[in-house]
Amino acid sequence: MKKIKWFSFTGILLLSKVALSQETLTISKEEVVQKASEKNLQVLAAEASYQSAKADYRQSNALFLPNVNVSYTGIVTTNPLMAFGSKLNQEILTQADFNPALLNDPEQTQNFATVIEVKQPLVNLDGLLGRQAAKAKMDAFQLQTERTKEYLILEVSKAYMQLQLAYKAVTVLEKANETAQGNLKMVENYFKNGLLQKTDLLNVQVRVNEITNQLQYAKSNVKNASDYLAFLLNEETNGKIYEPAEPLANEITLEQIETGLNTSRKDIQAMEKSTEAYQKMVQSSKYGFLPRLNAFGNYQLYDRQFLGTSAKGYLVGAQLSWDLFDGYKNMGKTQKAKADFNKAKIETEQYKKQSQLEINKTNRQLTDAENKVHLSQLAFEQSQEAFRIRQNRFTQGLEKTTDLLMAETQMAQKELEFLQAVFEYNFTKEYLRFLTE
């Protein structure tokens, strides 16, 4: 018996430590939205994709800016051609160097060359259209990032309302538990006075155990909702439990929302920009058959000594290049670009139609949710009145214990159903606004 008491006392201490280790943090919806917008992993990944597309676009600056390259080369050679050319570049040739014996079998010659080379694109039409495609792609990722943030706000709002609902469910079940405990005390008194049978007492005890079990599940749901909110905020839980600063609304606000598809929606604009990028790629591949004009120039410094600059020279020119036939490569590239463009157009049209279907469906769900709120509220009010009447009649000995328990169970159930209906309506309204904004 002493061991049992000791273990019970130890269990109480452990439970107390766990309770103390869980820190409750009160947080408002506005704070949640702000933190999620700054720290959410999905948003950070979308922004990284945008930065990648932006970097691709910046690479296309090479169409307008020169390419400058500097090289320093040192060689030692006995190759006849290289030896003669090195002396010529160094401007040290003499009459004796034209001796056939020296030309055919030169002595070891060394040469150090510094070359500054500049290449400047002048006319590159396919590259220009490729740059426009990269710009459209970057704009598409930017719009998609903004849409991701809008979706995150919706998801955070839902998670916050779920947390509110979880706390409200705990409150309802705690109230139901108090009611059940009060009924249990009343039934125990009746049983002691011989006014009720043992089965009535057992039924009430079973009901109290059921409420206790439901309350435990409700508290676990609070932790689950809090953990999901922490995930959206990209924060470690570390025993923390979030508590909403605003309670769950127990009423709804009717609002008329335009249910037409908004073509200026960020995700639709992003798909249209993506289609535009594919269109530019088609044009770019077509212009790939045209010639390109590039200018080039270099400045050379030669010497037989390391870091010497005794001989100097420059070269300036322009090149017009035209790929007349590349083994069907450019033609195949054009066909692929056309196919990708057509696919993008079809997918954009399909996405618009699917979006309109989703709007119509959500609008009907909002009407159903509104009706459900009214009916569940009426059912809850009726169950309250039914429980009050049965409780009064039970105290007068006019009702059975099972009828009282049924009325009590129904009242708690209808209250939870009403709160769930309010949650569904408010979220459906937010989702419809998200689809049409």
Side-chain angles (χ1 to χ4, degrees), residues 105-320:
D105 188 17
E107 297 178 353
Q108 177 178 295
T109 303
Q110 63 183 27
N111 183 41
F112 294 94
T114 302
V115 180
I116 304 173
E117 187 175 14
V118 179
K119 296 180 181 179
Q120 175 64 56
L122 297 179
V123 179
N124 192 342
L125 295 179
D126 60 331
L128 184 61
L129 287 165
R131 173 182 170 84
Q132 295 176 1
K135 176 66 164 60
K137 177 184 175 183
M138 181 186 71
D139 293 340
F141 273 102
Q142 184 179 20
L143 290 166
Q144 195 60 47
T145 300
E146 293 175 2
R147 186 60 176 176
T148 300
K149 291 180 179 179
E150 292 176 353
Y151 174 76
L152 175 65
I153 292 174
L154 174 69
E155 188 65 20
V156 166
S157 298
K158 179 183 177 181
Y160 192 79
M161 287 190 290
Q162 286 175 333
L163 185 63
Q164 290 175 320
L165 181 62
Y167 270 98
K168 190 64 177 178
V170 170
T171 302
V172 170
L173 290 172
E174 285 177 344
K175 183 173 67 175
N177 187 47
E178 291 177 2
T179 303
Q181 293 290 347
N183 291 334
L184 177 60
K185 290 181 180 180
M186 181 173 58
V187 170
E188 286 176 343
N189 291 332
Y190 287 167
F191 175 72
K192 290 177 182 179
N193 294 326
L195 299 176
L196 291 176
Q197 298 180 358
K198 180 69 171 180
T199 54
D200 294 322
L201 177 61
L202 292 175
N203 286 332
V204 176
Q205 290 174 340
V206 169
R207 173 58 184 165
V208 170
N209 292 334
E210 289 177 351
I211 290 292
T212 303
N213 189 41
Q214 291 175 6
L215 182 59
Q216 181 59 41
Y217 274 106
K219 291 180 179 179
S220 295
N221 286 335
V222 168
K223 296 177 182 178
N224 293 336
S226 178
D227 287 347
Y228 182 61
L229 188 61
F231 165 74
L232 292 177
L233 301 181
N234 192 22
E235 292 186 351
E236 298 293 336
T237 55
N238 295 329
K240 296 184 297 185
I241 298 179
Y242 289 110
E243 180 179 2
E246 303 93 1
L248 179 69
N250 56 0
E251 59 183 5
I252 62 175
T253 303
L254 301 181
E255 183 178 347
Q256 188 67 30
I257 300 177
E258 180 61 38
T259 57
L261 179 63
N262 182 10
T263 55
S264 62
R265 216 172 69 181
K266 296 294 192 306
D267 54 340
I268 294 178
Q269 288 186 46
M271 294 201 70
E272 290 176 344
K273 278 292 182 181
S274 179
T275 303
E276 179 185 343
Y278 282 112
Q279 185 181 22
K280 295 296 183 183
M281 290 304 298
V282 172
Q283 297 173 352
S284 175
S285 61
K286 288 181 178 179
Y287 280 113
F289 293 100
L290 298 179
R292 302 177 182 87
L293 179 62
N294 299 301
F296 61 89
N298 60 55
Y299 185 72
Q300 309 111 22
L301 301 170
Y302 297 100
D303 203 293
R304 62 184 293 110
Q305 301 297 328
F306 180 65
L307 297 179
T309 59
S310 60
K312 304 175 180 63
Y314 68 87
L315 175 68
V316 178
Q319 182 185 47
L320 181 67

Side-chain angles (χ1 to χ4, degrees), residues 71-91:
S71 64
Y72 187 78
T73 306
I75 63 170
V76 176
T77 181
T78 57
N79 180 277
L81 182 61
M82 294 297 296
F84 185 83
S86 297
K87 288 185 177 182
L88 184 62
N89 285 331
Q90 295 170 12
E91 301 176 0

